[in-house]
Every structure is written in C-alpha cells, then in structure tokens.
Amino acid sequence: MIRRKRKRIDEVLTSPRSDRRTLSNVPDPENIRVTLDRRGIQNDITVDAEMDSEYRSKLRMLSLRYTADFEVLIVAKGQKSKAGIKARAVDVSSTGVLVELHDEIDHFKVEDTVSIRFDIPPGTMPEGFESRVKTDAVIIRIFKQQTEKQEKHMIAFEFVKPLTDYFQRKRWGYSVYTASGLLFVAVIFIMLMRVESIIYFKYNLLLYLYSLTAAAFLLTRYLFGALYRDVPINADYMPGVSIIIPCFNEEEWIHRTILSCMNQDYPIDKLEVIVVDDRSTDRSVEQIHKTIDMIHREADRYMTKERLRMHVLTENGGKRVALVKGVEMAKHDLVVFVDSDSFLDPLAIKHLVQPFQDPRMGGVAGRTDVENKYTNSVTKLQTVRYYIAFRIMKAAESWFDSVTCLSGPLSCYRKELIVKHSEAWLNQKFLGQPATFGDDRSMTNFILKTHRTGYQDRAICSTIVPSDMGIFLKQQMRWKRSWLRESLRAGGFIWRKEPFMTLFFYIGLIVPIAAPVIVLYNLIYVPLVHHVFPGTFLMGLFLMAMLMSLAHLLLRKSKLWIFGLVFCIFYEFVLLWQMPVAWVTFWKSTWGTRETPQDVEARNKKEARKKKKKKFGLPF
C-alpha cells in the first residue's frame, strides 16, 4: 500500500507489484513471452490467445500481486491457534501470500499444508477484498533475502483455494443474497408509497405528481441499468486508436497515466499515445520526458518510438485546445481522451472500441472507478457515487444509445466528428462567456445530435478524486453549472431520439432543478404551517438512498456500500443547495480548482475590487 501526498492529505492507493517488463500486458511481437499469467488455473486448461474476455480478466485477477504490510498468523496442522507463529505479509494475491519471519523456523518444509489467518486492510487489494481470512495454504518456497541491514527469512504460500473462491463462499455470497432481498423489499415499499401519492393527488396535485414522477424516473433507471449488457469483444475487430492525454500541472500522476495507456493488451500497430502539455507551471513536462525516455529505452521492441510522443503548446490555451491539438496529430480513425490523473485497465481499449462496429455510433464512454477510494470519508462517498453513476445511470442511457455525457477520464470518439466540431467546440460561448469547462458534456452534445453514444462497463479506468472537502465542493459546483448549460443545449434536439429516452431526459432535467423547492416544502413549510412531521417524505429519501447502497453491495460486494446512504444524506443537506446557486451563476467560466486564464482574470478583478473598497474605506 502506497501513501502519496496531495493537498496535505495522504492518498491511499492500491499498489500492484511492479513487473520486470515495462509493458507487461502488450502483445509480444516476437512471441518471446505471453501476456497471461496462469497462476491459480488448472494445468489442463489451454490458454488461447482468442479466449473470451471474462476468462482473461479472471486470469489477470488471479495473477496480480499487491504490496502488503499486515500481520499473518501461521498455525501448523494439529496445533492450537495460540501456538501459531506471527509473520508479516510482504505481498499478496488472490492465489497466495509472501511473508517475512523475524527468525528462521526449522520445522516448516516445502509442500507442508498449514492454516493461515490474516485481515486484509482496506486499500491493500481491490475493493471487495477488505476482510478477514482463515484458510489453508501450501508452502511452495522457503528462502532467505539479504538486505543492507539484515537477513530476512521468507516463506511463500499458495492458498488451497483462491481468495476469489473463498470470498464467494463466504462474505461475497452472503452480500449478493442479502442485497438482492433488501433491494426487492425497498422497491416494493417505494412502489406502495407512490400508490399512496395517487390517493393524495386531490390535496396537492403538483407535489404528489412530482413525487410519483421522481420515483418512476429513478426506478426505471435501475431497471434499464440492470438490463444493460456490454458489446462483447470481437477478436476480428481491432481498429486503429490514438490516445490523447491533455496535461496541466499533473507531475504527480502523469507518469502512471502514460504507462497505463501504453500498457494495453492491444495490437501495437493499431495503438498510439500522444501527450499534450498545456504549458504546465510545475514539473509535468520534465516528468513526461522522463517517462517517455524510459519507455523508449526499456520497451523499444514494442515500437514505442513510433507510438509514443508528446507536444507542448506554445501558450496555455485550456483543455479543449490541448485535446484538439492531439487529434490533429493523431493518425488513427478513433481517438480516445484520457485525463492526466486517470489510469487505464490493460483491457480498457479493447472493450472501449467494440460498439464502433455500428457505423452510427459516434462516441463511447468507459467506466471510471475511484483510485484513492480509501483515503478518507470524502473519497469513500465518491466511490459509491461514481460506481452507480456509471454502472446504473450511464448504462441505462446506453440502453437507448443516448449517453448524455461521455466522461473526461475515458471516452472514445470517431476522429472525423471531433475534427468536424472542433472549431465550434473551441469557440463555444454561453451568455457571452467562453465555455472553459464541461468539455466532455459539450462534445457529447455535438456527437449526440447526429450519432449514437454508448457505454462499455468493462472498459475500466480509475481516477484520483478530490480528497479535500473544499476542492470537492468547488468541483461539484462546476459540474452543476456545466450540467445546466449543456442540458439546455441538449433539450433542443433530444426529442428526435427514441421516445422513451426523450421522456427520460426531460424528467431528468426537471427533477433535480425542482428538488430544492420540494425539500423546502416538505421539511420546512409542512412542519411549520401544518404541524405535520414529514415522516413519509423522509422514509422515501431513505429508501431511495438504500437503492444506491444496496446496488453497490450487490455489484461490488464491498464494505463501502454504507457510504451510498451517507452520500444521499450529504447530497440532500449540502450538495442539493448548490443547485440554486448554479441557476444564477451557470454562465461563469472559472474552474475554481485550477489556474485557468479565466480563474486568474476573476481573481485579479476580485483583488481590484478589494483595493478599491479599501481606498475609499468601505467594508469588504
């Protein structure tokens, strides 16, 4: 587990053990080494280069090793737990664990079977693995490791059953049954409460119509999200792809981003990576050069000199300018936009391109998970929110081929469409102000107007989210302004799409805008004027929150599910009230979280006003 510092907060990141090969997942053009590790798979299974993606993902999950630092209790067969020997885990995978002992133990031998017990701390392995383990394991290696200070005694264990099977029979299985049952109960209660709303129409038509509409809107999203399925990988469809990484002051993460984009299980003659720096004021350019030089030096046989390059803009022009410049440099027909603090799964590109077999498909979004999920409560809240926003909400829109936001961390477009709309995109203004953020929603609108847009759940990337509450709130305000502005644009043409999607969209626009008024009416007006406790309204909010939490538990089997409930409470009492502010300030073009020219200009104007007030002795 690695802890990195950002904004005075230690970011907790899962740390896979590094492979000796710089690009370990890239298909080997010389067939010297295969890219798949068969650890944990029976020997009679043939590893086929064209095996289905689900099986390949299972192989990778079993083979990945993670840096670890937790206590392990080793108990020989027939001994009591009190007689166990304590050791320290060095690395762990789904199939085994490597431990360090303080002293040499003579009575352990290779092929001995022992019982081992340990707790996997959150952040050590992927989400869902944080749990207590008590299982049998076989000693497969005993050796000594010499360091500068001392000689370490090491033992490598192979679990009798992989942790994936162990958890499936233990906590994961229970999570699925519990979440499924409670989800069914929650949906039934919500439907019964909405029947009650019909009865009360005569007392307040608008209020109860809103209540019924909001519930129907949310439940149908979960329904279509559940029906959604990825476009499967077609081994004969591997189109050329150019990955564009716009960078501005990301020296801490850009190294990992570039490596993840290059380390794709994709034909090397069909994939290139272009990094465009938007005149960073930190050491990003130096870090980009260093990373590219390292990849060129250590992985030259993968044609990296022809496939990886960078460009530094002559002046700071903003994210859109950097992306358009990358598209101009791209040689392939599909372009993928990846944020400079996002990291791709090795199979991300292979999954992401599959919907483009449909010539009407103009853009496709991948799934974005939270990388620093275990840093603090702020990142845990976002972990559940991100997963539901993609796996349920975008998946539901993808059912109708009308995803309304191809998100910035990972999205793919037809190059010809980006080129066609680039000038309008770069010069976009709203109420006379330049549109500097919301670039993903803006481009999605250009694409969606004439083409289909989709979502691929197995095209996965992870991203660094704000761990500071102040930065998080500024980000949310910026997103709400972007959502309002671009939703107004989309409302002018979305009616041409599939009828149910059209209804879906307009209800989804009205419900959040009206929500602050509804909450004030139910929580303030009704108790004060009518002296009625808003029990029904609060129960409805609780059940809606439980839908999010239980869906996360069902699909992710993670202990973080409870933060879905916490997020909904936080949304109702904090984030919801950003919406009225966004109504009257959605024309603003400042980011609030980075030094764009518009932010600098706004800050200078604010300082000028302060000086003017100070000059005339006015209060600030």
Side-chain angles (χ1 to χ4, degrees):
M1 187 163 55
I2 291 178
R3 295 180 181 268
R4 298 182 182 274
K5 203 167 184 180
R6 179 189 176 102
K7 299 292 183 180
R8 298 182 181 179
I9 295 177
D10 291 336
E11 303 290 0
V12 179
L13 308 179
T14 301
S15 176
R17 286 290 292 252
S18 59
D19 194 286
R20 289 191 297 269
R21 297 171 290 170
T22 303
L23 303 180
S24 57
N25 292 289
V26 177
D28 192 339
E30 301 172 11
N31 294 317
I32 297 175
R33 294 186 66 180
V34 297
T35 61
L36 292 175
D37 190 330
R38 297 176 61 185
R39 187 179 304 158
I41 303 298
Q42 299 298 320
N43 291 330
D44 58 347
I45 295 178
T46 302
V47 180
D48 191 335
E50 295 185 357
M51 67 179 60
D52 67 273
S53 60
E54 185 173 348
Y55 186 66
R56 293 172 73 89
S57 297
K58 181 181 179 181
L59 284 176
R60 183 170 176 271
M61 175 61 74
L62 290 172
S63 66
L64 277 177
R65 298 163 61 194
Y66 300 89
T67 301
D69 183 17
F70 54 82
E71 190 176 89
V72 177
L73 183 65
I74 308 169
V75 182
K77 285 295 183 179
Q79 288 187 327
K80 296 182 178 179
S81 59
K82 292 183 179 179
I85 298 169
K86 292 183 179 180
R88 203 77 191 167
V90 175
D91 72 48
V92 64
S93 71
S94 291
T95 56
V97 63
L98 176 65
V99 303
E100 173 191 335
L101 291 89
H102 298 296
D103 301 304
E104 186 172 9
I105 306 298
D106 295 331
H107 59 269
F108 283 143
K109 296 181 177 60
V110 174
E111 296 187 358
D112 281 354
T113 300
V114 299
S115 176
I116 59 175
R117 304 171 189 180
F118 52 89
D119 291 320
I120 302 176
T124 300
M125 295 184 75
E127 187 179 356
F129 281 85
E130 62 283 1
S131 190
R132 178 164 295 179
V133 177
K134 180 182 178 182
T135 188
D136 290 340
V138 178
I139 299 175
I140 58 174
R141 189 183 176 199
I142 300 175
F143 62 99
K144 296 179 181 179
Q145 190 176 74
Q146 189 68 44
T147 65
E148 294 180 0
K149 296 182 178 180
Q150 61 179 344
E151 186 178 65
K152 296 181 179 180
H153 305 281
M154 315 295 291
I155 300 181
F157 295 95
E158 181 179 1
F159 303 133
V160 172
K161 288 184 178 180
L163 291 183
T164 48
D165 294 344
Y166 176 84
F167 286 134
Q168 192 62 47
R169 294 176 60 86
K170 300 284 185 179
R171 186 170 63 81
W172 289 358
Y174 299 144
S175 297
V176 169
Y177 294 130
T178 301
S180 300
L182 292 177
L183 266 173
F184 178 77
V185 171
V187 170
I188 294 298
F189 265 94
I190 291 172
M191 293 177 69
L192 289 175
M193 291 177 69
R194 296 296 72 88
V195 171
E196 183 186 46
S197 296
I198 297 176
I199 298 173
Y200 289 119
F201 268 175
K202 61 183 179 180
Y203 298 108
N204 194 321
L205 177 62
L206 290 178
L207 175 65
Y208 290 105
L209 180 61
Y210 174 90
S211 177
L212 187 65
T213 302
F217 169 73
L218 193 59
L219 289 177
T220 53
R221 282 206 164 191
Y222 278 89
L223 171 64
F224 287 112
L227 294 174
Y228 161 84
R229 294 294 182 272
D230 265 5
V231 177
I233 289 180
N234 177 357
D236 296 324
Y237 184 74
M238 296 293 159
V241 176
S242 298
I243 300 177
I244 315 298
I245 307 173
C247 178
F248 181 80
N249 289 355
E250 287 289 356
E251 63 174 296
E252 187 173 8
W253 310 114
I254 191 62
H255 168 81
R256 185 172 172 181
T257 302
I258 295 172
L259 277 175
S260 73
C261 290
M262 286 295 294
N263 196 20
Q264 289 292 304
D265 183 3
Y266 205 80
I268 60 175
D269 60 327
K270 299 288 186 68
L271 182 71
E272 68 170 349
V273 177
I274 303 169
V275 188
V276 182
D277 184 81
D278 188 23
R279 301 302 295 181
S280 295
T281 57
D282 63 358
R283 298 174 60 250
S284 292
V285 173
E286 179 183 339
Q287 189 64 36
I288 295 169
H289 275 299
K290 183 179 178 181
T291 304
I292 291 178
D293 290 343
M294 183 270 291
I295 293 175
H296 286 172
R297 183 177 63 255
E298 297 181 7
D300 181 57
R301 67 194 185 93
Y302 294 103
M303 298 170 55
T304 56
K305 291 181 180 178
E306 294 83 6
R307 300 193 301 119
L308 174 60
R309 50 198 166 128
M310 73 169 293
H311 178 83
V312 180
L313 296 179
T314 56
E315 61 181 6
N316 179 268
K319 187 176 180 180
R320 299 188 190 199
V321 173
L323 288 170
V324 169
K325 181 60 181 179
V327 171
E328 291 173 355
M329 297 172 63
K331 66 180 181 181
H332 294 301
D333 293 332
L334 294 181
V335 291
V336 173
F337 293 165
V338 176
D339 281 350
S340 52
D341 58 356
S342 300
F343 322 119
L344 305 193
D345 179 86
L347 291 172
I349 299 300
K350 187 172 286 187
H351 282 286
L352 190 63
V353 301
Q354 296 308 311
F356 288 98
Q357 295 176 69
D358 179 356
R360 295 166 294 181
M361 186 64 65
V364 177
R367 189 178 91 215
T368 301
D369 290 337
V370 173
E371 178 66 21
N372 54 333
K373 56 177 66 72
Y374 292 106
T375 295
N376 55 27
S377 296
V378 178
T379 59
K380 290 175 183 177
L381 288 175
Q382 295 173 81
T383 297
V384 182
R385 172 58 179 164
Y386 264 68
Y387 186 75
I388 298 301
F390 282 85
R391 179 58 187 87
I392 300 298
M393 304 307 173
K394 285 194 192 302
E397 292 180 337
S398 189
W399 178 265
F400 303 100
D401 296 317
S402 298
V403 175
T404 54
C405 180
L406 303 174
S407 302
L410 176 62
S411 291
C412 184
Y413 305 85
R414 293 192 186 276
K415 178 183 174 181
E416 61 186 274
L417 296 179
I418 300 292
V419 173
K420 176 182 177 181
H421 299 295
S422 60
E423 186 174 353
W425 194 41
L426 290 173
N427 298 312
Q428 182 186 5
K429 290 186 177 182
F430 195 85
L431 298 180
Q433 296 293 321
T436 59
F437 53 78
D439 48 273
D440 47 6
R441 282 190 177 275
S442 176
M443 180 51 70
T444 303
N445 274 339
F446 284 118
I447 304 296
L448 188 57
K449 195 170 184 178
T450 56
H451 287 70
R452 294 177 173 181
T453 54
Y455 166 73
Q456 284 285 86
D457 188 62
R458 291 189 180 179
I460 302 170
C461 82
S462 58
T463 192
I464 303 295
V465 300
S467 51
D468 177 85
M469 180 59 75
I471 295 177
F472 170 65
L473 292 176
K474 288 179 180 178
Q475 180 202 64
Q476 293 299 302
M477 178 58 75
R478 185 176 76 243
W479 285 3
K480 285 180 175 62
R481 288 169 177 157
S482 169
W483 175 81
L484 275 169
R485 184 179 66 211
E486 296 303 330
S487 293
L488 291 175
R489 282 184 60 206
F493 65 80
I494 201 73
W495 55 270
R496 301 171 189 164
K497 299 292 181 178
E498 199 275 341
F500 198 88
M501 177 60 201
T502 301
L503 181 64
F504 212 50
F505 176 85
Y506 288 119
I507 292 176
L509 178 61
I510 295 170
V511 167
I513 292 176
V517 177
I518 300 299
V519 171
L520 281 175
Y521 180 86
N522 281 280
L523 296 185
I524 305 297
Y525 179 80
V526 170
L528 290 179
V529 176
H530 299 288
H531 307 290
V532 176
F533 181 75
T536 303
F537 181 76
L538 292 175
M539 177 58 71
L541 290 180
F542 173 75
L543 290 173
M544 295 296 185
M546 287 302 294
L547 282 183
M548 174 184 287
S549 288
L550 292 173
H552 188 268
L553 177 61
L554 175 66
L555 298 170
R556 298 292 275 181
K557 310 173 188 69
S558 165
K559 291 183 177 180
L560 294 180
W561 69 274
I562 191 66
F563 283 91
L565 180 60
V566 177
F567 178 86
C568 289
I569 297 172
F570 180 74
Y571 182 88
E572 290 297 325
F573 289 97
V574 180
L575 297 181
L576 180 66
W577 305 105
Q578 289 184 323
M579 186 63 75
V581 178
W583 295 348
V584 295
T585 61
F586 66 100
W587 48 267
K588 283 192 173 183
S589 57
T590 54
W591 277 61
T593 57
R594 60 174 284 186
E595 288 290 285
T596 67
Q598 289 72 29
D599 284 84
V600 173
E601 181 182 356
R603 187 175 63 250
N604 290 339
K605 287 182 178 179
K606 186 176 181 180
E607 290 175 355
R609 286 195 299 269
K610 283 185 177 181
K611 290 179 180 179
K612 187 175 181 180
K613 288 181 178 180
K614 186 176 181 181
K615 179 179 179 181
F616 292 99
L618 298 174
F620 287 97

